[in-house]
Structure formats: structure tokens, C-alpha cells
Amino acid sequence: VDSQSPRRIRIRGVVYEKFFNGPKLKLVTEISVVPGEATFRIDDTIENQGSSEQEFQIIYHANFGAPLLDKDARVHAAVQSVAPMNDHAAKSIVNYATYDEPTSGFAEQVYLVEPLADPQGKTLAVLHNAKGDRAASIQWDVQQLPYLTLWKNTAATEDGYVTGIEPATGYPFNRKVERQAGRVPKLAAGESRRFTLDFGLHRGMQSVDAEVQRVKTIQADHVPVIQRTPPAN
């Protein structure tokens, strides 16, 4: 617990990925809260403890379900461009930001977003229910996490009615594809990289509207580029 106000409470863990002739990475991961606030923070640092350059990838797969997720729920993000991950997702690209009711047999749809940011490099995604009186938000720095994946899995409740909002260093293709696209970052020997995400929980239409307005302020007069087909790679 921080000794100074606002006395943030932190829990921290360390994970190592090390093997012979391979990566020697250290991840220090921290989750923290400020008492009385409806927010929490994830603050991670990845360090290359090896003697040579090393690739890495990180994606924050944040899942949301009912009661926040329901028919006509909507995700708001400041979008520079959005593309479907495959031909199946391409069929519903015009509705990428809205959700259906639980549907038996629904096949997941994945959309690849390049987010816009404010002058400080921060961006925001907000998911709210159909009524607009409950929402969750994620704020992050696009210099740290330049890509966003939206995973829609509005299957039957018994099969997992859920959506994922996923800031990341790349998209969820395999590493060969991501490497060819230039989306696999590297750490020099001894180098570290930090990632900070702030999650907010919002109740009441006024609170939800304020978060949506933050997204609209970042979007400003930028018209999103909607790609109708999956990326060539």
C-alpha cells in the first residue's frame, strides 16, 4: 500500500520465460486500485534478460459478458481504420460495433482496429449495454499498445456469450504473419518495455455518456476507414 495519498493498493507478481537457446524474458505484472474509485490499473514491465535481441508479443484479452453485454450493446472506440480478420467477419463489418442477443451456433467474428489517440498518445474504448446505464472502459497509450482487436462471440449463453476488447502490440494472427506485417516488437539485450491500462466501471447514463464523449473527442472529425475485406497477409 502506498504510504502517500491516494494510498494505491498494489499486488505484484513476477513471471519468467527462460529456456536454453531461447528467450530469457521477465514479466513484472501489477494490478492496483485506489480505495473508493470504480477503477483498477494493470501495469506490466517486460525485460529482456538475455544477451541478444528478443521478439515478444502481448495482448490484453479483456472479456465482458452479461449483464453488460446484451442485444444492442455497443462498443465505442476512436478508430482510424477497422478491418475484418477473415471472410466470415467481413460479412458483418458494418455492424462491427454493435451486438446481437445470444444466438446458438454463432461463429466468432474478429475485427482489427488501428486506434486514434489524443495529443498525449492516450486512447479509449467503452462498452455499454443497450440501455446505456452501465459501461466498462479501457484507457491505454498507443505508443505502448498500437493495435486493438474486437472479438465478438455472441453465442448462446450456455456456450459463452462474451466479447473481448483487446489492446495489443499486434493482432491475433500467428507470429509468422505478424512478423511479416512488422507487428512483432523486439527488445535489445537488457531493454525493458512498460504497459499501463486503466479499466473503469461506470453506472448511470450520465457517467456512461461522459465516457462515450471522451471517445468522440478523440475521434473528432476523423472519418474511420472501413475495410471490407481481410488484410492481404
Side-chain angles (χ1 to χ4, degrees):
V1 181
D2 291 355
S3 60
Q4 302 296 321
S5 181
R7 301 189 183 278
R8 182 176 289 274
I9 303 170
R10 308 169 188 269
I11 183 167
R12 187 176 296 143
V14 182
V15 180
Y16 294 92
E17 180 183 342
K18 293 184 176 183
F19 56 91
F20 184 65
N21 286 334
K24 295 172 178 62
L25 299 174
K26 175 184 178 182
L27 170 65
V28 179
T29 183
E30 177 185 280
I31 300 176
S32 66
V33 298
V34 172
E37 293 187 1
T39 64
F40 65 92
R41 176 174 293 172
I42 294 177
D43 201 336
D44 293 341
T45 301
I46 298 176
E47 179 185 354
N48 179 10
Q49 296 189 319
S51 63
S52 58
E53 188 177 64
Q54 179 60 50
E55 294 180 333
F56 76 97
Q57 295 173 288
I58 189 165
I59 184 167
Y60 289 90
H61 189 105
N63 279 353
F64 301 91
L68 184 61
L69 185 65
D70 60 3
K71 178 176 170 53
D72 296 327
R74 186 176 184 90
V75 63
H76 297 263
V79 174
Q80 178 173 314
S81 68
V82 59
M85 189 172 183
N86 54 30
D87 290 335
H88 169 64
K91 298 174 185 176
S92 301
I93 184 68
V94 295
N95 299 315
Y96 78 90
T98 58
Y99 293 87
D100 291 329
E101 69 275 7
T103 304
S104 180
F106 181 88
E108 65 180 0
Q109 297 171 334
V110 181
Y111 298 98
L112 315 173
V113 177
E114 289 184 89
L116 293 166
D118 66 17
Q120 289 72 47
K122 297 294 182 65
T123 195
L124 182 73
V126 178
L127 174 69
H128 67 70
N129 62 358
K131 191 175 178 180
D133 62 352
R134 292 187 181 189
S137 64
I138 309 175
Q139 178 179 279
W140 70 96
D141 190 321
V142 296
Q143 296 300 314
Q144 300 173 352
L145 300 164
Y147 302 100
L148 172 65
T149 297
L150 299 177
W151 175 58
K152 299 173 68 175
N153 191 59
T154 52
T157 301
E158 297 84 352
D159 298 322
Y161 183 63
V162 67
T163 188
I165 300 175
E166 308 168 20
T169 55
Y171 294 129
F173 295 106
N174 67 51
R175 187 171 294 196
K176 179 180 179 180
V177 171
E178 290 297 283
R179 187 184 294 117
Q180 291 173 346
R183 292 190 295 262
V184 179
K186 297 179 180 180
L187 290 172
E191 184 183 4
S192 63
R193 197 81 58 88
R194 184 177 179 181
F195 307 91
T196 302
L197 302 95
D198 287 297
F199 292 74
L201 305 174
H202 313 280
R203 283 184 177 273
M205 292 184 178
Q206 185 175 356
S207 177
V208 173
D209 287 345
E211 293 303 302
V212 172
Q213 187 56 51
R214 291 177 63 199
V215 175
K216 292 180 179 179
T217 298
I218 298 172
Q219 187 73 47
D221 57 355
H222 298 283
V223 178
V225 176
I226 309 295
Q227 300 180 27
R228 303 285 177 159
T229 57
N233 64 347

